[in-house]
């Protein structure tokens, strides 16, 4: 869990450094939007990862791969049940959320709009953020910390690469969007490796679709 949180913090640091090149206001836009986008991760993702790890560890020790798959897929679906509506809310009513939580007369209208714009970019990645948390628990239960470390490095490098490219065309919105895209690529890497290890199946994709 600490490793996952560390990657998110590193990516946020990267976002902040790059945003500073676009102006001090851009740093604030990304900071405030990230605080809101992190709420579902803190409430749902961390809770799922914390509850899932001990049960998966026991099942891995007992070599009960079928039950490992069941618990992992169930947790992934449960995470999406909560994270997808949160993501949709960030896309549909970002300004309302910003005004309700932060504005209170302190933000001018343009600031609210810009923070809301950044929130839509971060909001797209919420399901992926939570998916990463769930997938990491499976690797930790297998006592494999090397794979999550390597994927974390990959995530940071991809985020840097995409942020530099997208910020040239989309400004601070592109920086936030790069973080979401890199999170989906990261979760995809975890899924494919776990699929190969027999810890998940493609059937979970049908459940996610439903």
């Amino acid at each position: 869990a600490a490793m996952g949180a560390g990657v998110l913090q590193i990516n946020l640091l990267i976002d902040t450094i790059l945003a500073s090149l676009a102006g001090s206001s851009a740093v604030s836009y990304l900071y405030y939007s990230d605080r809101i986008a992190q709420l579902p991760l803190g409430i749902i993702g961390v809770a799922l990862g914390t509850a899932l790890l001990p049960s998966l560890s026991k099942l891995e020790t007992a070599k009960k791969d079928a039950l490992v798959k069941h618990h992992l897929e169930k947790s992934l679906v449960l995470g999406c049940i909560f994270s997808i509506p949160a993501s949709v809310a960030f896309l549909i009513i970002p300004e309302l959320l910003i005004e309700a939580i932060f504005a209170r007369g302190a933000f001018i209208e343009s600031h609210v709009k810009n923070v809301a714009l950044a929130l839509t970019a971060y909001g797209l990645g919420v399901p992926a953020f939570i998916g990463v948390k769930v997938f990491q628990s499976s690797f930790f239960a297998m006592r494999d910390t090397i794979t999550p470390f390597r994927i974390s490095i990959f995530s940071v490098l991809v985020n840097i690469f995409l942020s530099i490219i997208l910020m040239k065309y989309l400004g601070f919105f592109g920086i936030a969007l790069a973080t979401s895209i890199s999170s989906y690529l990261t979760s995809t890497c975890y899924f494919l490796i776990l699929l190969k290890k027999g810890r998940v199946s493609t059937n979970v994709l049908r459940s996610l679709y439903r």
Side-chain angles (χ1 to χ4, degrees):
M3 184 179 296
V7 172
L8 287 175
Q9 291 302 317
I10 292 174
N11 282 337
L12 177 59
L13 176 61
I14 293 170
D15 291 354
T16 301
I17 293 172
L18 292 175
S20 65
L21 301 177
S24 58
S25 295
V27 175
S28 298
Y29 301 152
L30 294 181
Y31 173 79
Y32 285 112
S33 60
D34 177 76
R35 293 302 87 197
I36 298 179
Q38 291 291 329
L39 286 174
L41 177 62
I43 296 173
I44 304 166
V46 173
L48 281 175
T50 302
L52 188 59
L53 181 56
S55 61
L56 287 184
S57 296
K58 292 179 182 179
L59 293 173
E60 287 287 355
T61 301
K63 305 295 183 182
K64 296 181 179 180
D65 293 351
L67 286 177
V68 168
K69 182 187 299 184
H70 172 74
H71 278 67
L72 186 59
E73 292 182 352
K74 183 178 180 180
S75 296
L76 185 61
V77 172
L78 182 61
C80 286
I81 287 175
F82 288 100
S83 64
I84 290 177
S87 181
V88 171
F90 292 153
L91 294 175
I92 295 178
I93 55 170
E95 291 188 17
L96 180 61
L97 294 172
I98 298 299
E99 290 175 349
I101 297 175
F102 290 127
R104 302 184 183 280
F107 279 29
I108 62 176
E109 184 177 353
S110 62
H111 288 171
V112 171
K113 289 183 177 180
N114 286 329
V115 175
L117 182 62
L119 179 58
T120 60
Y122 280 133
L124 285 170
V126 169
F129 298 154
I130 293 177
V132 168
K133 283 286 187 182
V134 173
F135 288 141
Q136 281 181 338
S137 296
S138 182
F139 284 95
F140 296 150
M142 291 186 285
R143 295 174 175 79
D144 178 2
T145 58
I146 298 299
T147 299
F149 175 75
R150 290 173 176 172
I151 294 178
S152 297
I153 296 299
F154 166 77
S155 176
V156 171
L157 293 177
V158 169
N159 185 46
I160 294 173
F161 176 74
L162 290 177
S163 293
I164 292 174
I165 292 178
L166 293 178
M167 70 177 291
K168 293 181 179 179
Y169 303 98
L170 302 173
F172 65 86
F173 176 81
I175 297 174
L177 184 61
T179 298
S180 290
I181 293 174
S182 64
S183 294
Y184 277 104
L185 292 175
T186 300
S187 62
T188 299
C189 288
Y190 278 122
F191 177 80
L192 292 176
I193 295 173
L194 289 173
L195 182 65
K196 185 177 181 180
K197 291 179 176 291
R199 277 8 183 231
V200 293
S201 67
T202 55
N203 290 332
V204 71
L205 298 177
R206 298 177 185 175
S207 298
L208 294 178
Y209 176 75
R210 289 198 300 268

